[in-house]
Amino acid sequence: MAVVAAVPRSLARATFSLADRVLAISADDEAVCHILRTTYDDARVNQARTIHHQAAIARLSDGRMHVRFDRRTLGLTDAASTIPLLSAYYAVKEVFARFASAVPRGVAFYGAAVAVNGSAVLILGPTSIGKTLFALHLAWQGATFLGDETALLDTPAGTLRALARKPSLREGALGLLPPGIPERITEAPHAVQTERGRFWYALAPGQLGGVAPLDKPLHLRAVCVIRDRAPAFSIRRADLADVLPSIMQRAYIRPSQLAQISGLRRAMRGVAQYEVSLSDPQASAAAFLRELA
């Protein structure tokens, strides 16, 4: 079980930024404050800045999380977790997803992002398909890691940036990491035991061989849609019309944002689209970088 350190009362309210927008979060739950302090600390900003959105997270007497974003109460499917730290993690994760989706002129995605030769690559795919692992292997082979959770596309500018959140990994990924990295991760202080094994969160650069998130907007060069896992890595260039439904499935599109779909299409023009089947992540990352080159 994870040990949650004592949280200063000053962290009961903290402010965070994404693309020059500021979110203020109020929390009275120790586990929530711990997640904010460890996982999202790189996104924290001075409270004196103008606040655009507000969220409140509280734990009810039955252990469930009550979450509000601006004036809306959020229904969380994972909020009933019997592990307090996990329910806090899911609640905070949903708040930042809502924050990203509320940024004007942008479309937010549940996906990983890296930079290759100064341009961004957006990595999309189903939950637990291996996006974080793939992005980390790309970084270990020369790419720049941007983030592994939420990526925001500025549609008029055609630039991509990632939320500055420290990465997380599940126990099943340990056998697919380069030598030396698994030992560092198993010694990392932020871990929780789940029914699927241990889950490490807020991984620091020292535990990931120097990999750290970078909050910087970069021109979007390519989108990589991970279709599945296979014995051998495969990749093909695709037309935007073919992959747009898959791209939209990973977007945090809310009803008020449907008008931005046309902006998304315009932003994706000239962006290389790839469909891949992942095999060994190290070999897959090397093959993908060769394709980009």
Side-chain angles (χ1 to χ4, degrees):
M1 293 292 293
V3 177
V4 179
V7 180
R9 289 185 61 85
S10 60
L11 275 183
R13 179 178 171 85
T15 51
F16 303 85
S17 71
L18 175 64
D20 298 324
R21 305 287 289 186
V22 177
L23 165 69
I25 301 180
S26 299
D28 64 0
D29 179 71
E30 187 172 319
V32 170
C33 292
H34 171 74
I35 294 298
L36 292 172
R37 181 175 60 86
T38 56
T39 305
Y40 295 90
D41 191 57
D42 291 338
R44 287 189 65 192
V45 294
N46 191 311
Q47 194 169 356
R49 294 178 57 179
T50 300
I51 294 172
H52 303 93
H53 302 281
Q54 299 197 42
I57 308 176
R59 191 177 300 275
L60 303 178
S61 59
D62 60 3
R64 293 182 297 114
M65 305 301 301
H66 181 266
V67 183
R68 289 185 62 85
F69 182 82
D70 287 341
R71 298 182 178 181
R72 305 180 70 175
T73 299
L74 307 185
L76 306 180
T77 56
D78 293 312
S81 170
T82 57
I83 304 174
L85 195 60
L86 278 185
S87 61
Y89 183 89
Y90 293 134
V92 174
K93 179 178 174 180
E94 178 63 18
V95 164
F96 277 98
R98 297 293 178 127
F99 177 36
S101 67
V103 173
R105 307 186 317 156
V107 177
F109 295 92
Y110 172 58
V114 300
V116 179
N117 295 328
S119 297
V121 178
L122 175 63
I123 302 169
L124 303 174
T127 302
S128 302
I129 196 68
K131 296 183 294 292
T132 295
L133 199 57
F134 185 49
L136 289 172
H137 274 280
L138 289 168
W140 288 321
Q141 297 186 45
T144 299
F145 184 86
L146 301 180
D148 75 329
E149 175 63 34
T150 297
L152 179 66
L153 175 65
D154 184 324
T155 52
T159 57
L160 187 80
R161 72 193 309 157
L163 175 67
R165 188 199 83 143
K166 290 186 174 66
S168 60
L169 283 174
R170 295 191 179 275
E171 191 166 11
L174 293 182
L176 300 172
L177 302 177
I181 300 295
E183 292 79 7
R184 297 181 190 180
I185 291 179
T186 55
E187 295 174 357
H190 304 308
V192 59
Q193 185 69 37
T194 75
E195 60 184 17
R196 297 172 57 187
R198 282 177 294 177
F199 174 72
W200 288 274
Y201 60 95
L203 290 169
Q207 287 132 19
L208 291 172
V211 173
L214 175 67
D215 179 19
K216 181 180 180 181
L218 297 170
H219 175 73
L220 180 62
R221 173 185 180 184
V223 176
C224 173
V225 177
I226 302 174
R227 288 297 188 189
D228 53 23
R229 296 175 180 171
F233 175 79
S234 65
I235 183 170
R236 77 174 188 92
R237 284 289 294 266
D239 293 330
L240 176 59
D242 294 335
V243 297
L244 189 60
S246 297
I247 293 173
M248 292 300 304
Q249 285 180 357
R250 311 315 298 172
Y252 299 139
I253 292 291
R254 308 297 176 188
S256 61
Q257 292 180 292
L258 292 177
Q260 293 181 314
I261 295 177
S262 60
L264 174 61
R265 289 194 181 99
R266 287 193 298 270
M268 289 291 179
R269 291 172 184 167
V271 175
Q273 311 289 334
Y274 296 94
E275 288 185 319
V276 306
S277 293
L278 288 183
S279 60
D280 172 77
Q282 182 175 4
S284 298
F288 184 70
L289 290 174
R290 286 195 299 269
E291 178 70 22
L292 286 182

